[in-house]
Amino acid sequence: MQEYFIIIISAVLVNNIVLSQFLGICPFLGVSKKISASLGMGGAVSFVLIIASFITWVLQTYLLTPLNITYLQTIAFILVIASLVQFVEMVIKKFSPPMYKALGIFLPLITTNCAVLGVAIINIQNEYSLGKVMVHSLSHAAGFTLALLLMSGIRERLEDADIPESMRGTPIALIVAALMSISFLGFSGLT
Amino acid sequence: MNLQKEFTKGIVSDNPLFRLLLGMCPALAVTTSVNNGLGMGVAVTGVLLASNIVVSAMRKVIPSSVRIPAFIVIIATFVTITDMLMHAFTPALYTALGIFIPLIVVNCIILGRAESFASRNTMLPAIIDALGMGIGFTLALVMVSAVREVLGAGTFFGLQLLPENIPALIMILPPGGFIALGCILGLMNKFQRKTA
């Protein structure tokens, strides 16, 4: 039980996927201007990330390793993720057109979101059991959504701030991310 | 088609990292030393060049409805080759870059160039485009990592520049990546506005 708890704390806070592992920076900077959009993005990524972790683990354990073709890992994993994203896109388009509009270009881009592939590979590298894989990917999904939400909350207020012209947009967003990253460093004493 | 323009656009006006804001993840994660930044840049350039050549050669064969999955498979193949080559020939760099080598496959620059350039042009411009974009990305990575290594570790390419107690460790920790890239982007905006 304690092991699982350590995985959760470490994935959500200490090794936050965006702020200390630098995975999923594109949506983190791109869709974090509005809280509603970032919630949608967080949800979509979490969904894809958790299912992808499950499928890639099963694929690795029961197909790639027994057949001794682990070098095909990258190709196999990215194909799984690409088809999953296609599926999620169709579902969201059908059931929630406003959300589909808000997420816009970033929805197909989940395919090239390094967070999803990154977590799938980390799962295999750490040789987790299926239970740990699920907890690990769930916590990373939560960590991603948390970072995205915090960021969009700050950026909504940043709109009214008086920022030097050349720092507007991405540069100031990166500085904000740096400050968030510094405060997340404070958690590193936890484990 | 002006080949020289295709080459220089990737380095200056359309620099993938500083202008198009693509490939941010590796740019922040592996730029803790100039050596790593350069290695990453060369690896990305290699994959970009190879995938641009193949995509451009096969652009009439691939049906447009399945072009994205096809591009991804092509890119993933070359990433796997790069991964194995680096494992065999540069083991130290392979360990330092770690998970970011397989993650080249999801680097937006490569898929972006395949989709917006290589699939619409013949092979020669595609090669020039890949070289320009690759070199532009490598230069940008080296620039970010130079700032971080000099300020954070006091070294450049492992060469001691500053006395040991001066460097600000924060620059080679995760926040340093955000700070360095943010400040460079801000300075570039300022500089460009003045010249324009």
Coordinates of all heavy atoms in Angstrom, one line a residue, chain B residues 15-73:
Chain B
N15 N 12.8 30.0 -37.4 CA 13.5 29.1 -36.5 C 12.5 28.3 -35.7 O 11.6 28.8 -35.1 CB 14.4 29.9 -35.6 CG 15.2 29.0 -34.7 OD1 14.7 28.3 -33.9 ND2 16.5 29.1 -35.0
P16 N 12.6 27.0 -35.8 CA 11.6 26.1 -35.2 C 11.3 26.4 -33.7 O 10.2 26.3 -33.2 CB 12.1 24.7 -35.5 CG 13.4 24.8 -36.0 CD 13.6 26.2 -36.5
L17 N 12.4 26.6 -33.0 CA 12.3 26.8 -31.5 C 11.9 28.2 -31.2 O 10.9 28.4 -30.5 CB 13.6 26.4 -30.8 CG 13.5 26.4 -29.3 CD1 12.4 25.5 -28.8 CD2 14.8 26.1 -28.7
F18 N 12.6 29.2 -31.7 CA 12.4 30.6 -31.3 C 11.2 31.3 -32.0 O 10.6 32.1 -31.4 CB 13.6 31.4 -31.5 CG 14.8 31.0 -30.7 CD1 16.1 31.1 -31.1 CD2 14.6 30.5 -29.4 CE1 17.2 30.7 -30.3 CE2 15.6 30.2 -28.6 CZ 16.9 30.2 -29.0
R19 N 10.9 30.9 -33.2 CA 9.8 31.5 -33.9 C 8.6 30.7 -34.0 O 7.5 31.2 -33.8 CB 10.3 31.9 -35.4 CG 11.3 32.9 -35.4 CD 10.7 34.3 -35.6 NE 11.4 35.3 -34.7 CZ 10.9 35.8 -33.6 NH1 9.6 35.6 -33.3 NH2 11.6 36.7 -32.9
L20 N 8.7 29.4 -34.3 CA 7.5 28.6 -34.4 C 7.1 27.9 -33.1 O 6.0 27.3 -33.0 CB 7.7 27.5 -35.5 CG 8.2 27.9 -36.8 CD1 8.4 26.8 -37.8 CD2 7.3 28.9 -37.5
L21 N 8.0 28.0 -32.1 CA 7.7 27.4 -30.8 C 7.4 25.9 -30.9 O 6.5 25.4 -30.2 CB 6.6 28.1 -30.1 CG 6.8 29.6 -29.8 CD1 5.6 30.2 -29.2 CD2 8.0 29.8 -28.9
L22 N 8.2 25.2 -31.7 CA 8.0 23.8 -31.8 C 9.2 23.1 -31.1 O 10.3 23.6 -31.1 CB 8.0 23.3 -33.3 CG 6.8 23.8 -34.1 CD1 6.9 23.4 -35.6 CD2 5.5 23.3 -33.6
G23 N 8.9 21.9 -30.6 CA 10.0 21.1 -30.0 C 10.5 21.7 -28.7 O 11.6 21.7 -28.3
M24 N 9.5 22.2 -27.9 CA 9.8 22.8 -26.6 C 10.3 21.8 -25.6 O 11.2 22.1 -24.8 CB 8.6 23.5 -26.1 CG 8.0 24.6 -26.9 SD 9.0 26.0 -26.8 CE 8.1 26.9 -25.6
C25 N 9.7 20.6 -25.6 CA 10.0 19.6 -24.6 C 11.5 19.3 -24.5 O 12.1 19.5 -23.5 CB 9.2 18.4 -24.7 SG 7.4 18.7 -24.7
P26 N 12.1 18.8 -25.6 CA 13.5 18.5 -25.5 C 14.3 19.8 -25.3 O 15.4 19.8 -24.6 CB 13.9 17.9 -26.9 CG 12.8 18.3 -27.8 CD 11.6 18.4 -26.9
A27 N 13.9 20.9 -25.8 CA 14.6 22.2 -25.7 C 14.7 22.6 -24.2 O 15.7 23.2 -23.8 CB 14.0 23.3 -26.4
L28 N 13.8 22.2 -23.4 CA 13.8 22.5 -22.0 C 14.5 21.4 -21.2 O 15.2 21.7 -20.2 CB 12.4 22.7 -21.4 CG 11.7 24.0 -21.9 CD1 10.2 23.9 -21.6 CD2 12.3 25.2 -21.2
A29 N 14.3 20.2 -21.6 CA 14.8 19.0 -20.8 C 16.2 18.7 -20.9 O 16.9 18.4 -19.9 CB 13.9 17.8 -21.1
V30 N 16.8 18.7 -22.1 CA 18.1 18.2 -22.3 C 19.2 19.3 -22.4 O 20.3 19.0 -22.6 CB 18.2 17.3 -23.6 CG1 17.3 16.1 -23.5 CG2 18.1 18.1 -24.8
T31 N 18.8 20.6 -22.2 CA 19.7 21.6 -22.4 C 20.5 22.0 -21.2 O 20.9 23.1 -21.0 CB 19.0 22.9 -22.9 OG1 17.9 23.2 -22.1 CG2 18.5 22.7 -24.4
T32 N 20.8 21.0 -20.3 CA 21.5 21.3 -19.1 C 23.0 21.4 -19.4 O 23.8 22.0 -18.6 CB 21.3 20.2 -18.1 OG1 21.5 18.9 -18.7 CG2 20.0 20.3 -17.5
S33 N 23.5 20.9 -20.5 CA 24.9 21.1 -20.9 C 25.0 21.2 -22.5 O 24.1 20.6 -23.2 CB 25.8 20.0 -20.5 OG 25.6 18.8 -21.3
V34 N 25.9 22.0 -22.9 CA 26.1 22.2 -24.4 C 26.2 20.9 -25.1 O 25.6 20.7 -26.2 CB 27.3 23.1 -24.7 CG1 27.4 23.3 -26.2 CG2 27.1 24.4 -24.0
N35 N 26.9 19.9 -24.5 CA 27.1 18.6 -25.1 C 25.8 17.9 -25.4 O 25.6 17.4 -26.5 CB 28.0 17.8 -24.1 CG 28.7 16.7 -24.8 OD1 28.7 16.6 -26.1 ND2 29.4 15.9 -24.1
N36 N 24.9 17.9 -24.4 CA 23.6 17.2 -24.6 C 22.8 18.0 -25.6 O 22.1 17.3 -26.4 CB 22.8 17.2 -23.2 CG 23.5 16.3 -22.2 OD1 24.4 15.6 -22.5 ND2 22.9 16.3 -21.0
G37 N 22.8 19.3 -25.5 CA 22.0 20.1 -26.5 C 22.4 19.8 -27.9 O 21.6 19.6 -28.8
L38 N 23.7 19.8 -28.1 CA 24.3 19.5 -29.5 C 23.9 18.1 -29.9 O 23.4 17.9 -31.1 CB 25.8 19.7 -29.5 CG 26.5 19.7 -30.8 CD1 26.0 20.9 -31.7 CD2 28.0 19.7 -30.6
G39 N 24.0 17.1 -29.0 CA 23.7 15.8 -29.4 C 22.3 15.6 -29.8 O 21.9 15.0 -30.8
M40 N 21.4 16.3 -29.0 CA 20.0 16.2 -29.3 C 19.7 16.8 -30.6 O 18.9 16.3 -31.5 CB 19.2 17.0 -28.2 CG 17.7 16.8 -28.3 SD 17.3 15.1 -27.9 CE 15.7 15.0 -28.5
G41 N 20.3 18.0 -30.9 CA 20.1 18.7 -32.1 C 20.5 17.9 -33.3 O 19.8 17.8 -34.3
V42 N 21.7 17.2 -33.2 CA 22.1 16.4 -34.3 C 21.2 15.2 -34.6 O 20.9 14.9 -35.7 CB 23.6 15.9 -34.1 CG1 24.0 14.9 -35.1 CG2 24.5 17.1 -34.0
A43 N 20.8 14.6 -33.5 CA 19.8 13.4 -33.6 C 18.6 13.8 -34.3 O 18.1 13.2 -35.2 CB 19.5 12.8 -32.2
V44 N 18.0 15.0 -33.9 CA 16.7 15.5 -34.5 C 17.0 15.8 -36.0 O 16.2 15.4 -36.8 CB 16.2 16.7 -33.7 CG1 15.1 17.4 -34.5 CG2 15.7 16.3 -32.4
T45 N 18.1 16.5 -36.3 CA 18.4 16.8 -37.7 C 18.5 15.5 -38.5 O 17.9 15.5 -39.6 CB 19.7 17.6 -37.8 OG1 19.7 18.7 -36.8 CG2 19.9 18.1 -39.1
G46 N 19.1 14.5 -38.0 CA 19.3 13.2 -38.7 C 17.9 12.6 -39.0 O 17.6 12.3 -40.2
V47 N 17.0 12.6 -38.0 CA 15.7 12.0 -38.2 C 14.9 12.8 -39.2 O 14.2 12.3 -40.1 CB 15.0 11.8 -36.9 CG1 13.6 11.4 -37.1 CG2 15.7 10.9 -36.0
L48 N 15.0 14.1 -39.0 CA 14.3 15.1 -39.9 C 14.7 14.9 -41.3 O 13.8 14.8 -42.2 CB 14.5 16.5 -39.4 CG 13.8 17.6 -40.1 CD1 12.3 17.4 -40.0 CD2 14.1 19.0 -39.5
L49 N 16.0 14.8 -41.6 CA 16.5 14.7 -42.9 C 16.0 13.4 -43.6 O 15.4 13.4 -44.7 CB 18.0 14.7 -42.9 CG 18.7 14.7 -44.2 CD1 18.4 15.9 -45.1 CD2 20.2 14.6 -44.0
A50 N 16.2 12.3 -42.8 CA 15.8 11.0 -43.4 C 14.3 10.9 -43.6 O 13.8 10.5 -44.7 CB 16.2 9.9 -42.4
S51 N 13.5 11.4 -42.7 CA 12.0 11.3 -42.9 C 11.5 12.3 -44.0 O 10.6 11.9 -44.7 CB 11.3 11.6 -41.5 OG 11.4 12.9 -41.2
N52 N 12.1 13.5 -44.1 CA 11.7 14.4 -45.2 C 12.0 13.7 -46.5 O 11.2 13.8 -47.4 CB 12.5 15.7 -45.0 CG 11.6 16.8 -44.6 OD1 10.5 16.6 -44.1 ND2 12.1 18.0 -44.8
I53 N 13.2 13.0 -46.7 CA 13.5 12.4 -47.9 C 12.5 11.3 -48.3 O 11.9 11.3 -49.4 CB 14.9 11.8 -47.8 CG1 16.0 12.9 -47.8 CG2 15.2 10.9 -49.1 CD1 17.4 12.3 -47.5
V54 N 12.2 10.4 -47.3 CA 11.2 9.3 -47.6 C 9.8 9.9 -47.8 O 9.2 9.4 -48.8 CB 11.3 8.3 -46.4 CG1 10.2 7.3 -46.6 CG2 12.6 7.7 -46.3
V55 N 9.4 10.8 -47.0 CA 8.0 11.4 -47.2 C 7.9 12.0 -48.6 O 6.9 11.8 -49.3 CB 7.7 12.4 -46.1 CG1 6.4 13.2 -46.4 CG2 7.5 11.7 -44.8
S56 N 8.9 12.8 -48.9 CA 8.9 13.4 -50.2 C 8.9 12.4 -51.4 O 8.2 12.6 -52.4 CB 10.0 14.4 -50.3 OG 10.4 14.6 -51.6
A57 N 9.7 11.4 -51.2 CA 9.8 10.3 -52.3 C 8.4 9.6 -52.4 O 8.0 9.2 -53.5 CB 10.9 9.4 -52.0
M58 N 7.7 9.4 -51.3 CA 6.5 8.6 -51.3 C 5.2 9.5 -51.4 O 4.1 8.9 -51.2 CB 6.5 7.7 -50.1 CG 7.6 6.7 -50.1 SD 7.6 5.6 -48.7 CE 6.0 4.8 -48.8
R59 N 5.4 10.8 -51.6 CA 4.2 11.6 -51.5 C 3.1 11.3 -52.5 O 1.9 11.6 -52.2 CB 4.6 13.1 -51.6 CG 5.1 13.5 -52.9 CD 5.5 15.0 -52.9 NE 5.8 15.5 -54.2 CZ 6.8 15.2 -55.0 NH1 7.7 14.3 -54.5 NH2 7.0 15.7 -56.2
K60 N 3.4 10.7 -53.6 CA 2.4 10.4 -54.6 C 1.8 9.0 -54.3 O 0.7 8.7 -54.8 CB 3.0 10.4 -56.0 CG 3.5 11.8 -56.4 CD 3.3 12.1 -57.9 CE 3.7 13.5 -58.2 NZ 5.1 13.6 -58.6
V61 N 2.4 8.2 -53.5 CA 2.0 6.8 -53.2 C 1.0 6.8 -52.0 O 0.1 6.0 -52.0 CB 3.2 5.9 -52.9 CG1 2.7 4.5 -52.8 CG2 4.3 6.1 -54.0
I62 N 1.2 7.7 -51.0 CA 0.4 7.7 -49.8 C -0.9 8.4 -50.0 O -0.9 9.6 -50.3 CB 1.2 8.3 -48.6 CG1 2.6 7.6 -48.4 CG2 0.4 8.3 -47.4 CD1 3.5 8.3 -47.4
P63 N -2.0 7.7 -49.8 CA -3.3 8.4 -49.9 C -3.5 9.4 -48.9 O -3.0 9.2 -47.7 CB -4.3 7.2 -49.7 CG -3.6 6.0 -49.7 CD -2.1 6.3 -49.4
S64 N -4.1 10.6 -49.2 CA -4.0 11.7 -48.2 C -4.8 11.4 -47.0 O -4.6 12.0 -45.9 CB -4.6 12.9 -48.9 OG -6.0 12.9 -49.0
S65 N -5.8 10.4 -47.0 CA -6.6 10.2 -45.8 C -5.8 9.4 -44.7 O -6.1 9.6 -43.6 CB -7.8 9.4 -46.2 OG -7.5 8.2 -46.9
V66 N -4.8 8.7 -45.1 CA -4.0 8.0 -44.1 C -2.6 8.6 -44.0 O -1.7 7.9 -43.5 CB -3.9 6.5 -44.3 CG1 -5.3 5.8 -44.2 CG2 -3.3 6.2 -45.7
R67 N -2.4 9.8 -44.5 CA -1.0 10.3 -44.5 C -0.4 10.5 -43.2 O 0.8 10.2 -43.0 CB -1.0 11.6 -45.4 CG -1.6 12.8 -44.7 CD -1.6 14.0 -45.6 NE -2.1 15.2 -44.9 CZ -3.3 15.4 -44.5 NH1 -4.2 14.5 -44.8 NH2 -3.6 16.5 -43.9
I68 N -1.2 11.0 -42.2 CA -0.6 11.2 -40.8 C 0.0 9.9 -40.2 O 1.1 9.9 -39.8 CB -1.6 11.9 -39.9 CG1 -2.0 13.3 -40.5 CG2 -1.0 12.2 -38.5 CD1 -0.9 14.4 -40.5
P69 N -0.9 8.8 -40.1 CA -0.3 7.6 -39.6 C 0.9 7.1 -40.4 O 1.9 6.6 -39.8 CB -1.5 6.6 -39.7 CG -2.7 7.4 -39.8 CD -2.3 8.7 -40.4
A70 N 0.8 7.3 -41.7 CA 2.0 6.8 -42.5 C 3.2 7.6 -42.2 O 4.3 7.0 -42.0 CB 1.6 7.0 -44.0
F71 N 3.1 8.9 -42.0 CA 4.2 9.8 -41.7 C 4.8 9.3 -40.3 O 6.0 9.2 -40.1 CB 3.8 11.3 -41.5 CG 3.4 11.9 -42.9 CD1 2.7 13.1 -42.9 CD2 3.7 11.3 -44.1 CE1 2.4 13.7 -44.1 CE2 3.3 11.8 -45.3 CZ 2.7 13.0 -45.3
I72 N 3.9 9.0 -39.4 CA 4.3 8.7 -38.0 C 5.1 7.4 -38.1 O 6.1 7.3 -37.4 CB 3.1 8.6 -37.1 CG1 2.6 10.0 -36.8 CG2 3.5 8.0 -35.7 CD1 1.4 10.0 -35.9
V73 N 4.7 6.4 -38.9 CA 5.4 5.2 -39.0 C 6.8 5.4 -39.6 O 7.8 4.9 -39.1 CB 4.6 4.1 -39.8 CG1 5.4 2.9 -40.0 CG2 3.3 3.8 -39.1

